[in-house]
Amino acid sequence: MNQEPQPTIVNKSDKKTKLILSLIFDGIGMLSYIVPVFAESLDIIWAPISGLLLVVMYKGTVGKIAGLFGAIEELIPFTDIIPTFTITWFYTYIIRKEA
């Protein structure tokens, strides 16, 4: 039973779901601006979660690079304003024009 691998097709609802999740996760990452002193310490917890979510959401090299960048970005103080998830979505679906 030799089955050929099926090409990965991303439907529009998956694309939309990833955009919504990206906006939500970027919002979570920016929460440290609400309570600046306390929340910067929460970034230590959010950084690896953020990196892992990026790797899971965006497969392949793009996800790995975004995950590494996202984790590092969350660990550096005052860089939470960078919307890493949304930038990765934009790169994946607009610049690379993945289906």
Side-chain angles (χ1 to χ4, degrees), residues 63-84:
K64 291 175 186 172
I65 291 172
L68 180 64
F69 179 81
I72 292 170
E73 176 257 323
E74 285 295 331
L75 289 172
I76 298 171
F78 310 112
T79 59
D80 296 340
I81 196 76
I82 300 170
T84 310

Side-chain angles (χ1 to χ4, degrees), residues 32-98:
S32 64
Y33 289 109
I34 294 173
V35 187
V37 176
F38 178 67
E40 284 298 330
S41 61
L42 289 178
D43 282 344
I44 294 171
I45 297 167
W46 177 244
I49 295 170
S50 169
L52 183 62
L53 287 170
L54 280 161
V55 170
V56 170
M57 284 177 64
Y58 300 98
K59 305 292 183 201
T61 305
V62 171
K64 291 175 186 172
I65 291 172
L68 180 64
F69 179 81
I72 292 170
E73 176 257 323
E74 285 295 331
L75 289 172
I76 298 171
F78 310 112
T79 59
D80 296 340
I81 196 76
I82 300 170
T84 310
F85 284 90
T86 307
I87 290 170
T88 305
W89 181 90
F90 187 81
Y91 174 77
T92 301
Y93 294 109
I94 305 300
I95 294 173
R96 283 185 47 200
K97 296 183 182 174
E98 216 171 86

Side-chain angles (χ1 to χ4, degrees), residues 19-30:
L19 176 59
I20 292 168
L21 286 173
S22 293
L23 293 169
I24 291 169
F25 293 147
D26 281 333
I28 291 170
M30 292 178 192

